Amino acid sequence: MKHWIAVISRAHARIAADSEFLQVCHGKAGPLRQTSAGDEVFIYCPRSEINAGEILKTVEFQCVFNNDDVYQVEQFPGFKPFRKDVTFNRKFQPVVLKEVIGLELTANPHWGMLARRGFFEISEHDAELLRLAMRGLG
């Protein structure tokens, strides 16, 4: 199992959570094709809205890929993003990323450059710390 961070506005993350799918990097298929059934994703929300809104810098959701199927939908005329079905953990609470002590990710002062990719792998160590924090145990 691999562990990932998806960088998504909170508004879009909530739509994904309500619909049980994940769409990343403006609907690109490539990042989703790197993943496998059972892989875990933490959704980091830098802002409440895409390119606007309240600055959050929180990990809002955790989900797991249900299968390996990447599929395309017509979201609106001319825009056909790729998606993958996930199951969201409804028991986890949002956490401010910088308040999670001991993350390897944020120990790198340039981790924000990684976040600009929109979707990237993290270590098992960081995944465990995020799970604990989102359960209120970290």
Side-chain angles (χ1 to χ4, degrees), residues 19-45:
S19 304
E20 298 278 320
F21 71 82
L22 194 60
Q23 175 178 310
V24 299
C25 302
H26 306 287
K28 291 186 174 46
L32 295 175
R33 289 187 177 133
Q34 296 176 50
T35 67
S36 299
D39 282 4
E40 174 179 44
V41 182
F42 296 92
I43 299 181
Y44 173 70
C45 301

Side-chain angles (χ1 to χ4, degrees), residues 49-65:
E49 305 291 330
I50 190 166
N51 298 321
E54 178 186 359
I55 295 173
L56 302 172
K57 299 184 180 181
T58 54
V59 178
E60 294 277 328
F61 297 100
Q62 182 264 7
C63 59
V64 175
F65 288 109

